[in-house]
Each structure stands twice: as structure tokens, then as C-alpha cells.
């Protein structure tokens, strides 16, 4: 749907420009937008590399493990239907840690891996589980201590004090995360619990019988 919306905008702008005789302005705007996008991207690369390096140093120093231990009880409380030692828990904590430091692009791969692991626990692959909805809500509204990406964008556009948004960003994301958690808890109470499909016992499946994932049995 989003692709169709963008296609409509592009086609409509070209048609209107052709009718009004402003095709030169559209062409110039397209090239200026491409140039601006490349410039901003280079600025983001530098700040992202810096903070990813800082996170690697923090990981080697054991700070991320300490942060993970601090987030552990909160994550287990927010995701009660995920087994404590499941790989999804580790990816969820990595996703939340990256979002805390405003590394949205670095948090995305961890969020995708967490969703893939949560899908393995999903008894109905066509419907999102409560844990998936909780992860999506937290990833969208995550508390951000240091808005790294926004600071980089403000630096690229010549802001006199790029870091002055840290306080307001922290307050805004705290409110957003609190609202997301409250909405998630409310919907969890309203919705019936998802059916739990126990894993098949070893040796209980006959040859040629389908498994839970749809693959033929051994």
C-alpha cells in the first residue's frame, strides 16, 4: 500500500507539473532531494559508526551484559509468554538496548531476529502473538536516552546546539513508552490467551506425517 501511495504522489506531481509548465522545477527538486539525501546519509554514517564503536567497547567491557541483567526482569515481566531462556529474549534485550542509545538502524536487525524467534513460538503463523505486539509497541515507542540519529541530522543542518533535544526526547519517549505499555496490558487483558501448542514428543511422529512447520516428518 505504501508503494502505491508514493507512486501516486510521484505521478500526480509529474502530471501537475506538465500541465502547469513547471517540469524544470520538478526535475530540479528531484536532483536537490537526491543530493540532500546523500549528504545526510554520509553524516549519519559517521555518527552511527562512532556510536556502534562505543557500543562494541561497552560490550567488551561488560557494560552491555550489565545492562542486559538490569533489563532482564523487566523484559520477562513484559513478555510472560516467552520462555526465559529462549533466544528471542536475547534479541529483544539487544533491540531495547540499541533503542536506548538512539541507534534505530542498529536496533532494526535485532528486532527482526526477535520477531523471527517469536514466530517459532506462534501456534498460528497467520496471526501475531501478544509477545509480537508487545515488541512492536516497545520498538516503536522505545525510551531513548541519547537520540543519536536526530543529533546527527541536526549537526548536518548546522544546528547551534544539536544535543539540546536530549532532555525533551527523553521525556517524550518516556511518555510514549508508558502509553504503549499501558495499551498493551489493556489489550492483553481484553484478548483471550493464545492457544498453546505443545511440542511433539520425540519419536511420536510417523513417517511422512506433517510437522508443525508444514514440513514432512522423517
Amino acid at each position: 500500500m505504501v508503494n502505491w501511495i508514493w507512486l501516486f504522489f510521484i505521478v500526480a506531481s509529474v502530471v501537475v507539473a506538465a500541465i502547469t509548465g513547471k517540469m524544470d522545477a520538478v526535475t530540479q527538486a528531484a536532483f536537490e532531494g537526491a543530493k540532500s539525501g546523500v549528504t545526510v546519509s554520509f553524516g549519519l554514517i559517521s555518527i552511527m559508526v562512532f556510536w556502534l564503536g562505543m557500543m562494541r567497547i561497552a560490550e567488551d567491557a561488560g557494560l552491555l551484559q550489565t545492562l542486559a541483567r538490569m533489563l532482564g526482569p523487566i523484559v520477562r515481566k513484559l513478555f510472560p509468554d516467552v520462555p526465559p531462556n529462549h533466544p528471542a529474549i536475547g534479541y529483544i534485550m539487544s533491540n531495547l538496548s540499541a533503542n536506548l542509545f538512539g541507534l534505530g538502524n542498529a536496533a532494526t536487525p535485532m528486532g527482526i531476529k526477535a520477531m523471527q524467534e517469536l514466530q517459532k513460538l506462534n501456534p498460528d503463523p497467520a496471526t501475531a502473538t501478544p509477545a509480537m505486539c508487545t515488541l512492536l509497541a516497545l520498538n516503536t515507542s522505545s525510551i531513548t536516552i541519547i537520540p543519536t540519529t536526530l543529533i546527527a541530522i541536526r549537526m548536518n543542518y548546522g544546528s547551534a546546539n544539536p544535543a539540546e533535544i536530549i532532555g525533551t526526547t527523553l521525556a517524550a519517549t518516556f511518555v510514549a513508552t508508558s502509553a504503549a505499555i499501558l495499551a498493551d496490558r489493556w489489550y492483553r487483558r481484553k484478548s483471550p490467551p493464545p492457544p498453546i501448542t505443545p511440542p511433539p514428543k520425540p519419536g511420536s511422529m510417523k513417517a511422512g506425517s506433517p510437522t508443525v512447520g508444514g514440513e514432512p516428518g522423517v
Side-chain angles (χ1 to χ4, degrees):
M1 177 59 73
V2 175
N3 292 335
W4 287 105
I5 293 175
W6 280 109
L7 179 61
F8 169 77
F9 284 151
I10 294 172
V11 173
S13 62
V14 172
V15 171
V16 172
I19 294 174
T20 57
K22 297 181 179 179
M23 286 298 296
D24 291 341
V26 172
T27 304
Q28 182 180 356
F31 282 109
E32 288 294 331
K35 178 181 176 181
S36 177
V38 172
T39 304
V40 172
S41 296
F42 276 114
L44 291 178
I45 288 173
S46 62
I47 196 70
M48 289 292 295
V49 168
F50 171 76
W51 280 109
L52 287 174
M54 293 295 291
M55 287 196 69
R56 181 59 183 269
I57 293 174
E59 181 181 1
D60 293 340
L63 295 179
L64 290 186
Q65 288 79 358
T66 302
L67 180 60
R69 285 195 296 269
M70 294 172 59
L71 291 176
I74 300 175
V75 171
R76 287 192 292 270
K77 184 73 173 177
L78 293 173
F79 298 88
D81 43 351
V82 179
N85 295 325
H86 195 273
I89 294 294
Y91 289 121
I92 290 171
M93 287 193 291
S94 298
N95 174 265
L96 295 179
S97 300
N99 277 323
L100 283 175
F101 293 100
L103 302 174
N105 294 332
T108 300
M110 295 297 102
I112 293 174
K113 291 294 293 184
M115 282 293 186
Q116 291 174 344
E117 292 296 333
L118 291 175
Q119 181 70 349
K120 296 178 182 179
L121 300 173
N122 190 355
D124 182 10
T127 305
T129 63
M132 290 179 170
C133 296
T134 301
L135 176 59
L136 182 61
L138 290 177
N139 183 71
T140 305
S141 64
S142 178
I143 294 177
T144 303
I145 299 176
I146 303 174
T148 307
T149 304
L150 289 178
I151 291 175
I153 293 175
R154 288 169 61 86
M155 289 175 61
N156 285 328
Y157 283 99
S159 173
N161 188 2
E164 67 180 352
I165 61 172
I166 291 179
T168 53
T169 301
L170 179 60
T173 53
F174 176 80
V175 173
T177 302
S178 300
I181 293 175
L182 291 175
D184 177 73
R185 297 299 101 174
W186 186 75
Y187 278 107
R188 275 180 178 261
R189 290 195 179 97
K190 281 192 62 177
S191 303
I196 299 176
T197 303
K201 296 180 180 180
S204 63
M205 300 180 64
K206 298 180 181 180
S209 60
T211 63
V212 175
E215 297 292 333
V218 179

